[in-house]
Structure formats: C-alpha cells, structure tokens
Amino acid sequence: MSFPTVRMRRLRRTVAMRDMLNQVNLQPSNLIYPIFVDEGIKKPVAIESMPGYSRLPVAQVAAEGKQALEQGVKSVLLFGIPAKKDEAGTSAFAKDGVVQKATRELKKAFKEELVVIGDVCLCEYMSHGHCGLVKDGEVQNDQTLEVLGKVAVSQAEAGMDIVAPSAMMDGQVGAIREALDDAGFEQVPIIAYSAKYASGFYGPFREAAESTPKFGNRRSYQMSQGSQQEALREIELDINEGADMIMVKPALAYLDIIALAKATFNVPIVAYNVSGEYSMVKAAAQNGWIDEKTVTREILTGIKRSGADLIITYHAKDAKVWLNQP
Ligand code: PBG
C-alpha cells in the first residue's frame, strides 16, 4: 500500500493526536542537575563560558538543591573546587573536603527526597590537573585506584547516595566497589563513566572546575573519538566490575554509542550532555540565532530517543520552562 491510500500526515493533524502518539517523553525526574561547589568563595561566581551557571559556596548548596526539586528534578551531581590543590589529591578524600561538606548540607536539608551523586575524580584536586597520580610525566593507573577508592568511601561517609567515577583509570569500578564494600557501603550504587571520550566539549567545564591539565592532555586515558567497539568493551568491563549504571559522555557527537549501549546491555544508560554542548546552545540563543527552549527540548529528546534513561544536563536548571514549551 502506498499513496494516496496511505497518508502519513493523517496522524499529524492536531496537537492532541501528535501528543497521543509521542513515544519519547522527557521527564524532569530523568534529569540530573550538576552543581559546582567552590570552597574558596563566599558568594556565587558566574562561569563566563556557561551563561546562567555559577560556582557556589557550600552555604548556598542547599538552596540550589531546593531549586532542583522545584524544577521536578530529583538528583544533583556534585563537583568540588577545593581551596588547596596538591600532587596527591588529598582534599578529594578529606573528611571536611568541599564535596563532603556540601553532601552533608544536602542530606541534612532533603534526606531521601533528593539523590546526591558525587563525581569521583582527582583532576579538580590535583595541582597538575590530571585525573590520576603523576610520576615522570605519566598518569599512574594502579596507584590511582587506591586513591579513588578513598574518595568514594569518604563521600559515602558524608552521606553520598551514588558515586560516579570519571577518571577513566582501568579497574576503577572494581577498586571502588571493593573499597565501598570493605567500609560497609555495599548499598551505595556506582554510575560508571564508562565510555568517556577525550573531547573538545569539556572546555567550559574545565574553566568552571579549574581542572585544565597543566601539561599534556587526557588522551592516554579518555577514549579516542573514532572508536566504537572499544566503548562497548569499556562498558562491559565496568558492568563486570560491578557498575549499577553506565554512562556515555559527551552525548551529542556520540548518540550512536548510546544507541549501541542500549541495544547491547540491560543496565540503565546515563548520557552526559556536557558543558560545551550547553554553551553552544546558550551562545546561539543569546545571539537570537536559535530558539533556546525549542532547541533544548529537541536535543534532550534526541538523547533520550537514542536510548538514554537518564541525562545529566546543565539545562536541568530551568527544566520547567522548556519542558512546558508547546
Ligand atoms: C572530570 C570530569 C570532566 C567532566 C566531568 N567530569 C572533565 C574532564 O574530563 O576534563 C566534564 C563535564 C562537562 O564538560 O560538562 N574528569
């Protein structure tokens, strides 16, 4: 059967009919809201390359958690900018570290109402800006695992609901699972940043988190943009090491990886709609070149349609505004 018996436009005629047939519905509860907490400031500091976003002092984190809940968003992802950086990442696992303090504030204010997720990495805490311990100019894999385990445990002790290792060290999920279990935190889930590509889209984040590497780049640990099979292998390894959810990052240039992951594995898939993807939308919208709400919805619907169950996005901040866009 074909035209004129078949007319595809018959089912597109009214808003109600289009809505009725909609297969992909964005929900604020599927969004994760990133927060940058800075130990060294008293007032919010705007992040220039991320319009609408600021680094916040610990004292203001609970207000931000409330903002997330008001948008219908149920979870936040914490990134810390410590007052002091060194070559051992010490402040990443300090009892009174910036993320640990922020976690306590959020859990005190919202208890089980808000899911608090901690990024487990060292780049923001290292004077050299790399995601692991460095010796003779090389990022050391196995020595870093022990430190990542300590970071995860110290976050769990502060009340963190989920830990999300993003350092891209081999074996990090298994090491963190073991460290958490040994410390009695066998109920704390892990979201593994499994397929994390070395990307130009992280630029604004590195300004926000002051985590640009002082020498070299992250290509010896983050994935190379042309690889596809390798992503599936990374994900499989992480699931075998105990990951409860896996992540693909960035999202937009890697929708094929999200779709493949969804078709291959039966764990929840998280996609990270990263800083540069947010900044591009903001910049074009500020120039009047695109309509921000329409484009934001379209981008996040596309990420979900490709197979993501959850999306980490800076657009979560005003989810209500663009979700209600007709
Ligand atoms: C830490 C980390 C990065 C991002 C999340 N966790 C930066 C990086 O790998 O350089 C980037 C997130 C974003 O761009 O929004 N390793």
Side-chain angles (χ1 to χ4, degrees):
M1 256 201 294
S2 57
F3 177 81
T5 317
V6 176
R7 286 183 183 272
M8 296 304 285
R9 289 179 58 192
R10 273 184 209 126
L11 296 179
R12 293 182 196 142
R13 287 177 55 226
T14 62
V15 174
M17 215 183 268
R18 290 195 294 271
D19 280 356
M20 179 177 85
L21 290 164
N22 194 6
Q23 289 186 289
V24 178
N25 279 304
L26 281 172
Q27 280 176 350
S29 57
N30 297 143
L31 305 179
I32 298 171
Y33 183 133
I35 296 179
F36 298 101
V37 203
D38 188 335
E39 198 170 20
I41 56 177
K42 293 248 153 51
K43 278 192 288 197
V45 175
I47 303 162
E48 258 174 56
S49 55
M50 298 178 70
Y53 243 81
S54 299
R55 304 197 316 223
L56 303 175
V58 174
Q60 225 150 301
V61 165
E64 199 71 3
K66 189 155 170 265
Q67 153 91 2
L69 289 169
E70 279 168 4
Q71 299 297 306
V73 175
K74 306 282 180 196
S75 78
V76 296
L77 171 62
L78 295 182
F79 292 101
I81 299 113
K84 276 204 192 86
K85 302 186 189 231
D86 59 23
E87 294 205 349
T90 318
S91 40
F93 53 86
K95 213 184 176 87
D96 62 348
V98 58
V99 161
Q100 288 78 357
K101 281 191 280 196
T103 305
R104 280 189 217 102
E105 292 288 316
L106 287 167
K107 294 317 294 180
K108 193 169 72 191
F110 306 109
K111 307 199 170 58
E112 287 186 4
E113 210 188 327
L114 185 74
V115 179
V116 184
I117 308 172
D119 184 82
V120 175
C121 197
L122 299 174
C123 56
E124 301 103 289
Y125 304 88
M126 291 291 204
S127 43
H128 49 60
H130 275 289
C131 301
L133 297 171
V134 172
K135 203 173 146 214
D136 302 330
E138 292 254 357
V139 176
Q140 305 293 304
N141 193 86
D142 300 17
Q143 290 89 326
T144 302
L145 297 182
E146 195 191 325
V147 187
L148 293 173
K150 281 207 254 182
V151 177
V153 169
S154 83
Q155 291 188 355
E157 281 169 349
M160 196 66 84
D161 294 305
I162 303 179
V163 294
S166 71
M168 285 302 279
M169 295 297 120
D170 286 323
Q172 63 181 10
V173 173
I176 287 173
R177 185 70 274 158
E178 197 180 319
L180 286 171
D181 289 0
D182 286 350
F185 294 111
E186 64 281 341
Q187 294 295 344
V188 173
I190 299 175
I191 299 179
Y193 282 72
S194 304
K196 178 175 177 180
Y197 286 83
S199 170
F201 288 103
Y202 305 152
F205 173 96
R206 292 182 190 170
E207 181 208 323
E210 294 174 344
S211 65
T212 308
K214 295 273 186 308
F215 60 88
N217 54 50
R218 302 209 204 289
R219 298 221 170 94
S220 76
Y221 41 105
Q222 298 183 347
M223 289 177 56
S224 172
Q225 52 182 246
S227 50
Q228 193 178 53
Q229 229 175 13
E230 193 185 335
L232 295 181
R233 197 151 175 231
E234 284 278 10
I235 294 169
E236 188 176 22
L237 286 166
D238 283 353
I239 294 174
N240 289 340
E241 287 176 31
D244 299 276
M245 304 186 215
I246 65 90
M247 194 193 301
V248 175
K249 176 186 172 190
L252 288 181
Y254 302 89
L255 294 176
D256 59 318
I257 308 296
I258 299 174
L260 273 174
K262 185 65 176 178
T264 313
F265 303 105
N266 54 5
V267 294
I269 312 282
V270 185
Y272 200 142
N273 174 222
V274 300
S275 58
E277 297 172 334
Y278 169 88
S279 302
M280 288 195 302
V281 171
K282 288 283 177 183
Q286 281 181 349
N287 276 296
W289 296 338
I290 57 168
D291 179 65
E292 183 178 341
K293 291 178 207 164
T294 310
V295 166
T296 299
R297 255 167 71 119
E298 191 171 342
I299 284 175
L300 296 178
T301 301
I303 296 171
K304 190 158 185 194
R305 197 183 58 241
S306 75
D309 299 290
L310 299 173
I311 307 174
I312 303 170
T313 178
Y314 303 94
H315 297 292
K317 205 175 180 67
D318 49 11
K320 264 203 174 141
V321 177
W322 51 262
L323 273 172
N324 294 331
Q325 173 88 345

